Amino acid sequence: MSVSRRALIRAAGTSTTAVTAAALAGCRSGSQDDHGRGWFTVPAETRAPTLCRQCPGGCGLDLRLAGVEAVGVAGNPVHPINRGGVCPRAFSVLRQIHAMDRFRQPMIRSDPGAPLQPLDWNRATGLVSERMRALLAAGRGGRIAVLRAEEGCLRDVVWHRFCRAVTGMRQWVTGDPATAFAMPGPAGIGPAGSLGAVTVDFARADLILSLGVDLFETWASPVHAQRAFAALRRRPGRSPGQLIYSGVRLSHTAVVADRYVPVAPGRQIDLVLALAGHLLADGGLAPNTVARRLAGLDGFRIAAERFANHGMALTATGLSASAWAGLLDRLRLAKAPVVIGPGPGFGSGGRMSAVQAGVAALNLLLGAAEPGGALVHSDPRATADLAVVGDAWPSPVTTLDAAARSVLEAIDGDGLDLLFLSGLDVTRGYPQAASLTAALRRVPLVVGFSTWPDAASDLAHMVLPDAPAPERWVDHVTDRLGGGAVVSVLPPAVPARHLCRDSADVVLGLARSLGGDVADELPWQRYDQLLQTAVAGLFAAGRGAVESAKGTTLVPDLSGAAALWQVLQAGAVWRGDGPVGLSAAVTSRLRTLVASQRTWPSPALSGTVGGLTLHLFAVSTRAWNGLDRQPWLDEHRSVVVPGDPAGWAEMHPQTLAAHGLRSGDRVRLKPNEASATAISLTLRAVDGLVPGVLAVPANLAAGPDPWTLLAALPAGAADWTTVFVETL
């Protein structure tokens, strides 16, 4: 008897199916073996909305739950910030929940350097409030302080009210690390400084000139920026908008841009002034328009006119004739251009620099700050509508380096007896890291709000474990993106795995224990009660709309504040009236900041023989919090070069050859040939880099810290200073 191959396969498949079905018949949910034990139970699968807190964007997420366990994450398609999109950072949410080394309860050290030991919450908060009461009774409230990262939510209000009510207490709030490179100063386009939430509305622009700002990697919200850029390219009835990227390194944003204009560090002010000078000289702008836009800015105008000569512009910027002509032509033809920056390699820390003033002046000249221009307020009334805010938010924000200097002055001056640390890695990533780390060891009591072992817990005498975002109430107030203000409020997506608490609830508890004015300033028992009060303020304002999977509902059409509270908890999002143009008062302050720049320098590259220009850049996959929860992101293959948790340094092949170096060489970097300060890295050849530059990632959680090189330089050194390279 012969059996065909097809029949044999069919018979084998049928037999396998039957055997498998029989074997699984006893493995149904809740089935039992011969001893009456349940083999397994298939948990019900559900989804719970939450927010990503890995950057200031506040993207909406959907956690996939098996029972009560988080087993997956995806973007929330309803949330207006990301509309279902996510970047690699979002996936660290699961790691944060399931990290094996999470703190499971409060911890304390018996002596400096001793290991942390567990204690209960009542004892921990009792010790802190007892120390605070003793200091206040002795009139030493000025020796109590907090150093924390801005969170972009109403936790900032809790801290600000607390510090305001505790007599003499000081606080230093740093701008979020994710955008510290892109928005370093008050005259730049971003949230920091005295201009408030001035941002860019992509929908109003037809040309974006980015001076080193990596929109799609490290800006305020990479996902939102990508969506906005896509909309810029799909403008019904109009030609697609364009993006020009001018920077030191071929980043992902540079690859996506319509044109990449490489420019060396130190040539940034020349580029800004040359562009302005040629726009003034070619007659494309009417004299009365120029007079109106640059009123009171004669210093900038005179400086720009010195660069109106074509040959001088090429020499000063280092650009080729074709690159310069292409850039200038596109800027001339644009009807609604805007300049954003400066990014890394274009400024020096968070101070008001000539480059930042030049960017602000160039935007004024281009009309970006006028009605209809791309510079906008997302929604200036959004935070005022939140009933709990008043004058308590936003808190004054500074850079981490500036905050570190202030903390050092406080410790070396009158001293600090109690310091709270929240949301910051103070041990690396800025020039003063080593000095501040040493100084904090002289503070008698450092209390760190940490979810797992990190820099704060290493320095802390007491650790109060903060619950990760999915295990606590989360809210986000986004008023820094061009699409308008967005408010999200959501309950915990999963039950708490350990004895962790929301840091806001801990601060509210401390306020109650201190009593008096402090308790009056923070009358809420729990953080969700404060959130409910804030939502009632949104409803009372009677404006905006609520977006959910069911559609859009105007706030006045809701039955009351309780109804708004309920729909927000279910995953809906409140949206404001949309972006508005800059007010005359803000534009006037912008002019004042530009006019305060008395000199317009043209920094030139210089250094010792063998020196290279140091350029620090941010790795796009690094998250805002929990940096070491996701080492796999350090190995994420980027557009140009694969990452490495141990750190590396990049050089153009031409530069490597000129210095007798090769890719893979181990080198020692020093501020100068005689300096004892040095870090060791492995070189990599990268084509997408300006020749003569040595680029080093500046935000890795491990490996050599390049900021130590800047710490060894005189005060005021820029992030494009030169370094000396030795072969190991």
Side-chain angles (χ1 to χ4, degrees):
M1 170 178 161
S2 63
V3 180
S4 68
R5 180 173 177 269
R6 182 183 298 275
L8 180 62
I9 293 175
R10 183 182 297 113
T14 303
S15 301
T16 302
T17 302
V19 172
T20 303
L24 292 178
C27 297
R28 295 186 300 272
S29 175
S31 65
Q32 298 186 354
D33 62 10
D34 294 340
H35 301 284
R37 296 173 301 197
W39 282 17
F40 70 90
T41 299
V42 178
E45 184 169 304
T46 58
R47 290 182 178 269
T50 188
L51 297 177
C52 180
R53 303 297 294 137
Q54 300 307 304
C55 85
C59 290
L61 300 180
D62 277 340
L63 281 186
R64 185 164 62 88
L65 306 179
V68 297
E69 293 291 333
V71 296
V73 62
N76 182 349
V78 177
H79 202 284
I81 298 299
N82 59 315
R83 297 294 186 194
V86 293
C87 72
R89 305 175 189 179
F91 296 99
S92 68
V93 169
L94 297 178
R95 295 288 298 271
Q96 292 176 18
I97 297 173
H98 300 296
M100 297 301 294
D101 59 346
R102 278 181 54 180
F103 289 118
R104 304 185 178 216
Q105 65 184 96
M107 309 288 284
I108 193 171
R109 299 183 198 276
S110 56
D111 296 298
L116 289 166
Q117 300 295 330
L119 77 164
D120 62 72
W121 271 104
N122 290 336
R123 179 60 177 157
T125 55
L127 288 172
V128 175
S129 60
E130 181 181 336
R131 178 66 66 89
M132 292 189 70
R133 281 194 296 267
L135 291 171
L136 291 171
R140 305 176 75 178
R143 298 171 73 98
I144 305 173
V146 57
L147 174 59
R148 64 182 183 86
E150 182 190 30
E151 298 192 54
C153 63
L154 295 181
R155 282 176 182 78
D156 292 323
V157 174
V158 172
W159 272 114
H160 192 81
R161 283 179 172 266
F162 185 71
C163 294
R164 183 171 61 184
V166 175
T167 305
M169 183 175 177
R170 292 179 279 186
Q171 71 165 330
W172 296 280
V173 187
T174 69
D176 73 86
T179 58
F181 286 101
M183 296 177 286
I189 307 307
S194 59
L195 294 180
V198 178
T199 186
V200 178
D201 185 0
F202 287 83
R204 300 189 182 200
D206 63 351
L207 174 64
I208 300 168
L209 173 58
S210 171
L211 298 183
V213 174
D214 291 322
L215 288 169
F216 310 136
E217 297 140 89
T218 56
W219 209 45
S221 175
V223 175
H224 180 271
Q226 291 176 40
R227 289 186 55 249
F229 179 66
L232 182 73
R233 305 299 288 245
R234 299 190 307 266
R235 305 194 305 171
R238 295 185 294 172
S239 59
Q242 296 182 328
L243 170 65
I244 299 177
Y245 183 93
S246 179
V248 179
R249 183 175 179 268
L250 187 68
S251 64
H252 174 63
T253 302
V255 171
V256 173
D258 297 276
R259 181 180 289 266
Y260 169 53
V261 181
V263 61
R267 303 293 179 92
Q268 61 281 351
I269 186 61
D270 306 87
L271 177 63
V272 171
L273 291 174
L275 288 172
H278 280 68
L279 292 173
L280 291 170
D282 65 10
L285 296 172
N288 60 337
T289 300
V290 173
R292 184 184 73 253
R293 292 178 177 177
L294 295 186
L297 306 181
D298 293 339
F300 171 78
R301 182 170 180 171
I302 293 171
E305 288 173 345
R306 297 192 187 116
F307 286 79
N309 178 275
H310 180 72
M312 179 177 292
L314 296 181
T315 302
T317 61
L319 300 181
S320 66
S322 59
W324 170 253
L327 173 59
L328 188 58
D329 286 345
R330 295 200 182 193
L331 202 59
R332 284 169 173 162
L333 295 174
K335 297 179 179 177
V338 65
V339 184
I340 57 175
F346 282 79
S348 53
R351 296 181 298 276
M352 173 67 178
S353 68
V355 187
Q356 293 167 317
V359 168
L362 187 54
N363 275 309
L364 289 171
L365 177 62
L366 294 170
E370 294 186 344
L375 294 188
V376 297
H377 285 302
S378 283
D379 187 346
R381 296 188 293 166
T383 53
D385 291 345
L386 297 167
V388 301
V389 175
D391 61 349
W393 189 64
S395 303
V397 178
T398 185
T399 63
L400 181 54
D401 191 51
R405 294 178 187 276
S406 298
V407 176
L408 285 169
E409 292 175 1
I411 294 174
D412 294 336
D414 296 335
L416 292 178
D417 289 325
L418 171 58
L419 178 68
F420 295 97
L421 280 178
S422 178
L424 289 173
D425 181 353
V426 298
T427 62
R428 61 184 294 120
Y430 62 102
Q432 299 299 316
S435 299
L436 182 60
T437 301
L440 289 181
R441 301 192 186 280
R442 307 202 308 265
V443 178
L445 178 58
V446 176
V447 179
F449 289 92
S450 302
T451 306
W452 39 69
D454 59 13
S457 65
D458 290 342
L459 292 169
H461 304 94
M462 181 185 296
V463 175
L464 302 180
D466 194 12
E471 295 182 10
R472 56 175 168 82
W473 282 85
V474 288
D475 65 295
H476 195 71
V477 183
T478 305
D479 62 350
R480 298 174 182 175
L481 304 177
V486 174
V487 175
S488 305
V489 177
L490 290 166
V494 295
R497 296 177 65 88
H498 307 298
L499 297 178
C500 300
R501 292 185 182 178
D502 186 342
S503 58
D505 285 331
V506 175
V507 176
L508 291 174
L510 290 175
R512 289 195 303 273
S513 67
L514 293 175
D517 293 339
V518 185
D520 293 340
E521 183 73 19
L522 291 164
W524 302 276
Q525 296 291 309
R526 302 185 313 272
Y527 185 55
D528 61 296
Q529 294 174 343
L530 179 147
L531 294 176
Q532 191 166 5
T533 303
V535 170
L538 282 181
F539 179 80
R543 66 185 194 89
V546 175
E547 291 188 9
S548 68
K550 298 180 180 179
T552 301
T553 305
L554 296 177
V555 168
D557 294 338
L558 296 172
S559 60
L564 178 58
W565 175 246
Q566 290 298 324
V567 296
L568 290 178
Q569 288 187 72
V573 177
W574 178 91
R575 294 201 70 172
D577 294 335
V580 297
L582 301 187
S583 65
V586 172
T587 303
S588 176
R589 290 160 62 190
L590 185 61
R591 293 181 184 279
T592 300
L593 288 170
V594 176
S596 66
Q597 184 67 34
R598 301 299 182 186
T599 59
W600 295 94
S602 296
L605 303 182
S606 62
T608 58
V609 176
L612 286 165
T613 305
L614 176 66
H615 169 65
L616 304 183
F617 67 93
V619 178
S620 62
T621 52
R622 296 320 306 271
W624 188 9
N625 296 320
L627 298 184
D628 58 350
R629 298 303 90 201
Q630 45 198 358
W632 57 279
L633 286 183
D634 285 336
E635 301 167 8
H636 179 76
R637 196 170 187 85
S638 66
V639 173
V640 177
V641 66
D644 184 347
W648 69 94
E650 301 175 1
M651 293 176 66
H652 191 278
Q654 183 182 44
T655 309
L656 283 171
H659 287 77
L661 300 170
R662 294 178 299 176
S663 183
D665 283 352
R666 291 285 294 174
V667 295
R668 182 184 293 112
L669 310 184
K670 301 175 10 177
N672 53 67
E673 190 172 6
S675 176
T677 301
I679 61 172
S680 298
L681 295 167
T682 301
L683 290 178
R684 288 181 177 174
V686 175
D687 290 324
L689 192 65
V690 172
V693 169
L694 187 142
V696 181
N699 62 333
L700 298 182
D705 187 0
W707 291 96
T708 58
L709 301 178
L710 298 186
L713 295 169
D719 58 2
W720 44 265
T721 189
T722 56
V723 292
F724 191 84
V725 180
E726 294 178 345
T727 305
L728 294 177

